[in-house]
Amino acid sequence: MAYIYLLVAIVAEVTATFCLTLSNGFTRLVPSCVTVAGYAVAFYSLSLALRTIPTGMAYAIWSGIGTVLIALVCRVVLGQKLDLAAIAGMTLIICGVLVMNLLSGAGRHG
């Protein structure tokens, strides 16, 4: 269940960050409200995930996957460009998250 909370936190954070762009400096009501609500859901869900998943591991997954997803969303929806270096960096982020989860003992408590 902790990873479900973490997934909710990631999706909420990506949604909030995307709407932050659309809020135009909090001058547009709907995107501003989605931003605030999204971050509230993200942090609450992250706090629930931290009951089980160690903080370092949860934050690495949350921030890493969130970074890649928001870059991809902005690429698809807003047409922002991703050059080869950005794609390579995102690939390294995903590889790092996988290595931490699959090969490292850092994901265990104690």
Side-chain angles (χ1 to χ4, degrees):
M1 191 67 183
Y3 284 94
I4 299 296
Y5 290 134
L6 187 56
L7 177 63
V8 170
I10 292 167
V11 171
E13 187 266 336
V14 169
T15 301
T17 300
F18 179 72
C19 285
L20 184 60
T21 301
L22 300 179
S23 76
N24 194 29
F26 286 104
T27 60
R28 297 180 60 218
L29 182 62
V30 173
S32 298
C33 290
V34 173
T35 297
V36 171
Y39 282 128
V41 169
F43 283 110
Y44 179 69
S45 297
L46 182 61
S47 76
L48 296 177
L50 292 177
R51 291 178 176 172
T52 304
I53 305 169
T55 304
M57 183 64 69
Y59 192 76
I61 295 167
W62 183 56
S63 61
I65 301 302
T67 299
V68 171
L69 285 178
I70 193 63
L72 293 175
V73 166
C74 288
R75 169 68 183 112
V76 171
V77 178
L78 301 177
Q80 293 180 357
K81 301 296 180 203
L82 295 175
D83 60 13
L84 187 58
I87 294 167
M90 289 189 302
T91 301
L92 289 171
I93 290 169
I94 291 169
C95 289
V97 168
L98 288 173
V99 166
M100 285 182 71
N101 278 282
L102 300 175
L103 302 176
S104 172
R108 297 185 219 27
H109 280 289

